[in-house]
Amino acid sequence: MSTSLRGNWNYPTTIWAGPGRIAELADACARTGMKRPLIVTDEGLIGAPMIRNALAALKNSALFGAVRGNPALTHVEAGLRAYRAGGHDGVVAFGGGSALDAGKVVAFMSGQTRPLWDFEDIGDWWTRADPAGIAPVVAVPTTAGTGSEVGRAGVILNEETHQKKIIFHPQMMPRIVISDPELTVGLPPGVTAATGIDAFVHCFEAFCAPGFHPLADGVALEGMRIIHRFLPRAYADGKNIEARAQMLAAASMGATAFQKGLGGVHAIAHPVGSWFNTHHGLTNAVILPYVMTYNRRAIEGKADLISRVLDLPKRGFDGFLAWVIDMRRELGIPHSLADIGVSVDKAAIIGREAAIDPSASGNPIPVDAAQLEHIFRAAVAGRLDAVDAAA
Ligand SMILES: [Fe+2]
């Protein structure tokens, strides 16, 4: 089976996919010219055998493992100090979305003189960066959701404003990705579900975002088909290597597709994560049906197409929505934001910040702060029937 799950791909970057391919980590670093890599990982992975093995395999490497969920400027700054103190010349970003984002941003900032927030993803701000000061990255995902391993941005929390900022530069794309499903077999079912639905939402929001982008649409549709088939299997049996390999591919597909845009789910999930420190994938998973219901008028045709590609028992928007709700329940995802510790006392702020989140512009129906607040309140209450679909 392992040979059939193996592939070398070259879009959107070089991806070495397949069980056991972490053995090629030193080769990947050598190909990017790294001689002294800094391994950036999540706090939770510091002692893991896969990190110890990576340190042993990479000569002259060091470990920076102080990255938390929803990484903030302080984590990036600490990583930069470690990078400079060790005289490193590249980053191995190894872990879940937080480690990948933090690692990519450390490599990006390693040779910049301007402050981090000057490189927020606004207009052409990325051109302020000195391209010669961007160090190479080898990315090793250990969850299948974020897709950050094939993304050109990192999401960093500004702790002063409580806003998640997208730091963007085309050269932030990792040079080589090692997509090894054996690294994800230890993910607990809850994390498998939450990150897997994040990948689904990337595909879904990209597919429904307005605009002419058949490349993204094709990738998104196939990504949803794979997740429909394999997420329940990866959840039920974490050691199912085929399901893990398919989910890793689907996660990369989601992030490839969302160059086209995201939408209301991510627009609301970002400020909720900033204010309540909720898990990104889990937050998206809870919010998804509320935003779908709000967007109904604009996405009925696309929802019908998705229901046919996924070969759902019931077709059309209603069949698709019913499947989303069933899948969510079967994967142990709660129905309301209140269930994950989110309250309505910040509803006005969430609405305002969701409206200015870059994801909001990809929503299939234009949404303002009041409408996003309305959807948020329904999601906190767990009342799908309270969502007024846009006319
Ligand atoms: Fe996401």
Side-chain angles (χ1 to χ4, degrees):
M1 180 173 65
S2 61
T3 49
S4 66
L5 294 170
R6 198 182 157 93
N8 285 2
W9 308 323
N10 287 301
Y11 67 85
T13 188
T14 298
I15 302 177
W16 296 348
R21 299 211 63 181
I22 192 62
E24 296 168 61
L25 180 60
D27 186 23
C29 290
R31 287 210 197 183
T32 65
M34 279 185 224
K35 293 195 172 61
R36 299 181 64 83
L38 178 69
I39 302 171
V40 174
T41 194
D42 309 286
E43 272 183 334
L45 277 180
I46 294 176
M50 63 176 103
I51 295 298
R52 285 204 306 272
N53 293 344
L55 266 170
L58 300 176
K59 268 186 258 163
N60 303 315
S61 66
L63 180 64
F64 175 74
V67 179
R68 301 212 179 140
N70 298 318
L73 176 62
T74 49
H75 303 108
V76 172
E77 286 173 339
L80 277 169
R81 281 195 295 278
Y83 184 95
R84 288 172 183 145
H88 295 286
D89 57 5
V91 168
V92 174
F94 200 133
S98 300
L100 297 180
D101 280 9
K104 283 159 60 183
V105 173
V106 166
F108 167 71
M109 288 298 290
S110 64
Q112 307 305 321
T113 50
R114 300 174 70 135
L116 179 67
W117 308 125
D118 279 8
F119 303 111
E120 196 187 339
D121 188 13
I122 295 174
D124 65 352
W125 286 16
W126 63 272
T127 60
R128 296 165 166 180
D130 175 6
I134 303 173
V137 173
V138 170
V140 185
T142 62
T143 64
T146 160
S148 177
E149 67 276 6
V150 294
R152 304 173 300 165
V155 181
I156 303 296
L157 175 66
N158 183 331
E159 285 162 311
E160 283 168 27
T161 63
H162 269 284
Q163 286 174 318
K164 281 191 168 187
K165 298 289 188 187
I166 298 170
I167 309 301
F168 170 84
H169 193 283
Q171 281 185 43
M172 225 188 279
M173 175 73 86
R175 303 271 179 91
I176 299 177
V177 176
I178 295 184
S179 185
D180 183 343
E182 289 177 358
L183 303 180
T184 68
V185 297
L187 277 181
V191 182
T192 299
T195 51
I197 297 188
D198 187 30
F200 186 86
V201 176
H202 294 158
C203 293
F204 170 72
E205 293 210 289
F207 187 67
C208 293
F212 178 61
H213 203 325
L215 286 79
D217 291 341
V219 169
L221 213 44
E222 176 64 1
M224 284 187 273
R225 198 181 68 87
I226 290 173
I227 295 164
H228 166 251
R229 232 176 124 202
F230 289 101
L231 178 55
R233 298 186 205 182
Y235 178 77
D237 175 13
K239 293 191 166 52
N240 183 326
I241 288 290
E242 186 189 12
R244 293 297 197 182
Q246 296 281 2
M247 284 305 301
L248 264 177
S252 293
M253 293 165 81
T256 302
F258 78 57
Q259 277 193 30
K260 184 187 171 200
L262 284 166
V265 181
H266 274 79
I268 297 172
H270 285 149
V272 169
S274 301
W275 285 99
F276 296 94
N277 200 30
T278 52
H279 183 275
H280 172 71
L282 181 61
T283 315
N284 279 328
V286 175
I287 295 171
L288 174 60
Y290 302 93
V291 173
M292 283 175 65
T293 301
Y294 182 83
N295 288 335
R296 178 180 184 126
R297 175 182 59 80
I299 63 171
E300 279 192 304
K302 287 179 175 174
D304 181 54
L305 179 55
I306 296 167
S307 74
R308 284 182 284 130
V309 169
L310 271 52
D311 198 20
L312 299 179
K314 212 175 137 214
R315 301 290 159 92
F317 180 90
D318 289 327
F320 180 45
L321 180 64
W323 170 73
V324 165
I325 290 169
D326 284 351
M327 169 187 69
R328 221 156 130 265
R329 189 187 318 111
E330 281 159 22
L331 297 178
I333 305 287
H335 186 61
S336 79
L337 285 176
D339 291 334
I340 61 169
V342 176
S343 59
V344 290
D345 60 313
K346 299 226 162 44
I349 295 173
I350 300 290
R352 270 203 309 277
E353 294 189 351
I356 56 167
D357 189 275
S359 308
S361 62
N363 199 63
I365 299 174
V367 274
D368 63 21
Q371 291 154 341
L372 288 159
E373 181 184 336
H374 164 72
I375 301 167
F376 168 75
R377 284 179 179 277
V380 174
R383 291 208 33 215
L384 208 49
D385 62 312
V387 178
D388 294 322

